């Protein structure tokens, strides 16, 4: 009887112990998998390595009650789900493929005299299919202007039927035609264009052009920089060794690939110790950092610097025979045929020839200012013509009393000859009042950036020495 009792008493204790053991296992199940889940989270990408911890937790899983540890395993099941996903992707597409007709693509290069019909023919499509494509509004127009060398991608289904095409319209836009059931659809896909600001600075040691090239600027950017400062600096005659420039320009990327250079956003030019600045505003115009228009009534030089003999030559020999007497103009030595621009807008008051001046043009800009251009090879304007600033009025020559080809340029203020390179002219218009605050903010940001980038560059150069 007592034995029965002790056995009876023991039973709950055994039960207790079993429960205790079970709890311990459950507790362990709580800890171990969550640790593994934590660890595997970092290596989720390497799917194979997560397999090992999974086998480790098989043991506690075998002991778990249906509900208990599940929450503890949630981390793990999430991981299992994600690995399911990756397998799903590969397995999912496979059974799907036979359901839809398989598509193949081929690229065709447009040949000389090619039409869409000829290309479709090469691809094995019917005349009917060409016709349907040309009936599309946008595509119909574009395929009429296929350029030799262009590439067109044609898509074919498993029955050999036309299923679509892709045609690159530009570095950014692609025209897409796709067939859905029996209907054709057309649309364009645009790559996203992103912008990056690029900084460049250089000191001029031989000439402006070489300094620009050495700094990594393109010819177009060098000319743009000269144009921006062309009202303040005579790039043909006034550049000296030690002059320097710094600029920030915009670079455009499509899908991370370089697309093209954008605008110069801000620049600084130091010419013979004098500092000039330019900031591009939202109106597309350039203003000095204080907000004065870069455009002025007169260009500093009527000749683009790129035509003028390249290296510094501040004391040119005067090309007029035996002439040492007072010279009332500025001479630009360049090749015959170099275009000569009107320094400012105005009216042609003389376009003629005589034995001293050769072919010459006089332009009256207003009651105060007149400019004169002598020894031209050809004149391109007639008396009475109105000319715009920068308009070509003739070409450089060696007509009249000269020994060599050059332009003799005179600048007359109220009837008095003045040096166009040093004459003080009225200040340019300031930016509109309502734009002032926004411009100042932009200007300060960009000029501060130029300054800090310059410091970085100087430091780098010092370290390199
Ligand atoms: Zn002269």
């Amino acid at each position: 009887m007592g034995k029965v009792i002790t056995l009876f008493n023991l039973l709950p204790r055994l039960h207790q112990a079993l429960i205790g053991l079970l709890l311990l296992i459950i507790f362990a199940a709580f800890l171990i998998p969550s640790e593994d889940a934590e660890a595997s989270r970092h290596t989720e990408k390497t799917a194979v390595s997560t397999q090992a911890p999974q086998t480790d937790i098989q043991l506690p899983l075998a002991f778990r009650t249906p509900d208990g540890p599940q929450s503890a395993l949630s981390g793990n099941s999430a991981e299992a789900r994600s690995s399911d996903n990756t397998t799903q992707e590969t397995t999912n597409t496979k059974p799907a493929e036979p359901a839809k007709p398989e598509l193949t693509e081929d690229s065709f290069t447009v040949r000389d005299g090619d039409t869409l019909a000829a290309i479709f023919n090469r691809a094995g499509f019917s005349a009917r299919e060409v016709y349907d494509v040309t009936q599309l509004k946008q595509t119909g127009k574009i395929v009429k202007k296929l350029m030799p060398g262009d590439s067109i991608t044609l898509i074919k289904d498993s029955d050999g039927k036309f299923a679509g095409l892709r045609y690159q319209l530009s570095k950014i836009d692609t025209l897409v035609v796709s067939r859905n059931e029996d209907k054709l659809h057309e649309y364009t896909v645009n790559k996203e264009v992103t912008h990056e600001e690029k900084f460049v600075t250089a000191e001029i040691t031989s000439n402006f052009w070489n300094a620009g090239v050495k700094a990594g600027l393109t010819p177009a950017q060098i000319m743009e920089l000269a144009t921006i400062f062309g009202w303040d600096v005579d790039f043909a005659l006034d550049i000296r060794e030690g002059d320097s420039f710094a600029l920030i320009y915009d670079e455009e990327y499509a899908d991370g690939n370089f697309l093209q250079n954008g605008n110069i956003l801000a620049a600084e030019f130091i010419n013979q110790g004098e500092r000039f600045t330019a900031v591009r505003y939202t109106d597309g115009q350039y203003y000095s950092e204080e907000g004065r228009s870069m455009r002025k009534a007169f260009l500093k030089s009527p000749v683009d610097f790129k035509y003028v003999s390249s290296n510094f030559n501040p004391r040119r020999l005067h090309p007029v025979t035996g002439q040492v007497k007072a010279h009332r103009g500025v001479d630009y030595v360049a090749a015959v045929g170099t275009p000569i621009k009107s320094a400012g807008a105005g009216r042609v008051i003389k376009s003629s020839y005589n034995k001293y001046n050769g072919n010459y043009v006089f332009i009256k800009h207003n009651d105060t200012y007149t400019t004169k251009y002598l020894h031209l090879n050809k004149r391109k304007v007639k008396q009475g013509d109105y000319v715009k600033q920068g308009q070509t009025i003739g070409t450089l020559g060696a007509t009249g009393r000269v020994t060599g080809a050059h332009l003799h340029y005179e600048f007359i203020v109220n009837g008095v000859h003045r040096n166009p390179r040093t004459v003080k002219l009225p200040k340019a218009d300031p930016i509109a009042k309502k734009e002032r605050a926004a411009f100042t903010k932009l200007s300060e940001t960009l000029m501060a950036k130029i300054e800090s980038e310059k410091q970085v560059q100087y430091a780098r150069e010092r370290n390199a020495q």
Side-chain angles (χ1 to χ4, degrees):
M1 193 62 179
K3 267 195 176 178
V4 177
I5 292 163
T6 52
L7 193 70
F8 195 78
N9 280 344
L10 267 172
L11 266 171
R13 235 180 276 162
L14 195 77
H15 196 88
Q16 251 184 331
L18 274 168
I19 288 168
L21 190 71
L22 199 68
L23 276 171
L24 203 74
I25 289 163
I26 290 167
F27 186 61
F30 257 92
L31 278 179
I32 297 163
S34 69
E35 254 173 9
D36 281 338
E38 199 69 50
S40 65
R41 212 165 279 160
H42 301 286
T43 55
E44 226 162 346
K45 281 271 148 51
T46 54
V48 182
S49 70
T50 60
Q51 291 301 103
Q54 245 169 0
T55 51
D56 281 349
I57 57 168
Q58 289 303 324
L59 206 77
L61 275 175
F63 283 90
R64 73 193 165 116
T65 52
D67 288 332
Q70 200 143 26
S71 65
L73 288 168
S74 65
N76 193 49
S77 63
E79 178 220 332
R81 233 182 293 126
S82 80
S83 70
D84 266 358
N85 270 353
T86 56
T87 53
Q88 239 171 28
E89 267 172 40
T90 50
T91 51
N92 232 358
T93 50
K94 270 189 181 156
E97 266 173 18
K100 272 195 171 182
E102 205 171 316
L103 301 177
T104 52
E105 316 188 341
D106 263 313
S107 262
F108 292 84
T109 304
V110 179
R111 299 174 192 162
D112 250 344
D114 242 348
T115 59
L116 191 68
I119 297 166
F120 267 51
N121 188 37
R122 286 209 291 281
F125 295 134
S126 71
R128 173 81 214 179
E129 286 171 310
V130 184
Y131 177 80
D132 289 344
V133 169
T134 56
Q135 293 313 294
L136 292 166
K137 206 177 162 203
Q138 200 195 353
T139 311
K141 270 185 231 158
I142 288 162
V143 297
K144 278 185 193 143
K145 305 181 278 188
L146 292 176
M147 293 297 287
D150 281 357
S151 177
I152 184 163
T153 301
L154 298 178
I155 302 151
K156 193 182 273 193
D157 68 15
S158 53
D159 300 327
K161 289 218 172 86
F162 175 79
L165 67 78
R166 282 197 310 275
Y167 179 66
Q168 200 151 340
L169 299 170
S170 69
K171 281 182 175 173
I172 306 163
D173 306 320
T174 302
L175 171 76
V176 180
V177 173
S178 72
R179 198 192 74 201
N180 193 1
E181 307 279 295
D182 278 330
K183 282 206 84 163
L184 293 178
H185 302 271
E186 63 174 354
Y187 53 94
T188 45
V189 178
N190 320 98
K191 285 181 186 171
E192 196 197 345
V193 176
T194 52
H195 298 263
E196 256 177 51
E197 287 181 0
K198 194 137 187 242
F199 172 80
V200 163
T201 185
E203 191 178 303
I204 300 170
T205 52
S206 63
N207 64 47
F208 173 55
W209 186 272
N210 288 349
V213 170
K214 221 172 129 187
L217 297 179
T218 65
Q221 287 177 312
I222 297 170
M223 290 310 293
E224 196 185 343
L225 195 58
T227 304
I228 291 170
F229 291 106
W231 288 275
D232 298 299
V233 177
D234 181 344
F235 281 84
L237 298 180
D238 283 350
I239 302 300
R240 295 289 179 275
E241 186 172 354
D243 282 359
S244 64
F245 58 84
L247 63 146
I248 292 171
Y249 68 88
D250 177 48
E251 268 186 344
E252 292 176 2
Y253 290 83
D255 275 3
N257 296 314
F258 176 76
L259 197 63
Q260 61 189 12
N261 290 321
N263 296 301
I264 291 175
L265 304 176
E268 174 189 82
F269 201 99
I270 295 166
N271 176 228
Q272 301 187 39
E274 198 176 348
R275 180 172 172 269
F276 300 95
T277 56
V279 175
R280 188 179 204 271
Y281 192 52
T282 50
D283 59 3
Q285 302 293 313
Y286 289 90
Y287 300 86
S288 70
E289 65 181 343
E290 315 82 40
R292 288 200 174 269
S293 174
M294 298 302 283
R295 289 180 177 278
K296 296 172 183 75
F298 297 99
L299 290 166
K300 272 286 170 195
S301 166
V303 187
D304 270 347
F305 78 95
K306 65 178 174 182
Y307 298 107
V308 176
S309 40
S310 56
N311 286 305
F312 306 116
N313 191 1
R315 294 251 165 256
R316 276 164 216 279
L317 285 175
H318 193 260
V320 179
T321 345
Q323 289 262 353
V324 201
K325 66 172 187 177
H327 184 248
R328 302 194 295 180
V330 177
D331 295 320
Y332 293 88
V333 179
V336 171
T338 296
I340 305 300
K341 305 184 288 186
S342 174
R347 190 168 63 89
V348 178
I349 53 166
K350 279 266 185 198
S351 175
S352 190
Y353 177 89
N354 71 35
K355 65 174 177 176
Y356 301 104
N357 294 346
N359 282 312
Y360 65 94
V361 170
F362 295 173
I363 296 168
K364 187 181 164 99
H365 303 283
N366 54 35
D367 285 345
T368 311
Y369 301 103
T370 300
T371 52
K372 298 182 175 180
Y373 311 79
L374 275 56
H375 314 308
L376 303 178
N377 184 46
K378 285 205 169 88
R379 286 176 277 127
K380 304 244 164 147
V381 288
K382 292 190 295 289
Q383 196 168 314
D385 284 355
Y386 282 91
V387 292
K388 286 188 260 182
Q389 183 175 57
Q391 185 177 332
T392 300
I393 53 166
T395 55
L396 188 141
T399 56
R401 261 189 77 186
V402 293
T403 53
H406 76 287
L407 169 75
H408 175 99
Y409 175 55
E410 292 182 7
F411 197 90
I412 293 127
V413 184
N414 290 321
V416 180
H417 283 82
R418 307 293 292 269
N419 184 345
R421 290 152 66 200
T422 54
V423 67
K424 287 277 169 262
L425 296 167
K427 276 196 167 181
D429 294 337
I431 194 162
K433 256 201 185 106
K434 63 178 166 65
E435 304 293 339
R436 179 106 224 158
F439 174 82
T440 303
K441 201 177 161 205
L442 174 72
S443 173
E444 281 173 358
T445 306
L446 287 170
M447 295 318 292
K449 191 164 180 187
I450 284 187
E451 198 45 49
S452 74
E453 291 278 4
K454 269 168 72 180
Q455 295 309 321
V456 170
Q457 184 96 354
Y458 292 153
R460 202 179 296 143
E461 278 162 16
R462 268 201 305 277
N463 287 339
Q465 275 163 9

